[in-house]
Amino acid sequence: MAEGLFGVHGLALEVRGQRMGLLASNIANASTPGFKARDIDFKAALGAAENNGSIEAATLYRVPTQPSMDGNTVELATEQTAFAENAVQYQTTLSFLNGR
């Protein structure tokens, strides 16, 4: 991304896009035995991206409030809420960049 032209917003869009993919994967695997839900710590990922680092260190396993008996840690309501919030934030950042 062209950080000089878009500032931190270009990096934010990239991190939000990657987070959206990860959350979608969680939702898609809600019934997969043993699947471990993951999420991206946005602040840590953005900091890593600003320093040309990998956001993998900011990708963490989600701690479930009620894990299932088959070892799956996806809580569908939590994932859907996080996905919707991230989608709104992604669209807001994209609209800001389009306005520039």
Side-chain angles (χ1 to χ4, degrees):
M1 290 265 155
E3 190 174 338
L5 177 62
F6 298 120
V8 72
H9 300 288
L11 292 173
L13 191 66
E14 184 178 333
V15 172
R16 290 199 192 288
Q18 291 182 7
R19 183 171 185 234
M20 195 172 304
L22 191 61
L23 293 171
S25 174
N26 289 347
I27 292 169
N29 287 289
S31 61
T32 303
F35 184 83
K36 305 297 183 207
R38 297 183 307 153
D39 198 357
I40 293 175
D41 178 336
F42 180 78
K43 188 175 182 178
L46 189 58
E50 286 179 312
N51 294 315
N52 296 319
S54 170
I55 68 166
E56 283 300 313
T59 303
L60 308 169
Y61 287 98
R62 191 181 302 285
V63 178
T65 55
Q66 294 180 329
S68 66
M69 296 296 288
D70 66 3
N72 185 304
T73 62
V74 175
E75 294 173 321
L76 201 52
T78 300
E79 300 303 328
Q80 290 171 329
T81 301
F83 185 88
E85 288 174 349
N86 191 68
V88 168
Q89 293 165 340
Y90 181 91
Q91 187 61 44
T92 301
T93 304
L94 186 60
S95 294
F96 178 80
L97 288 173
N98 283 332
R100 289 188 126 186

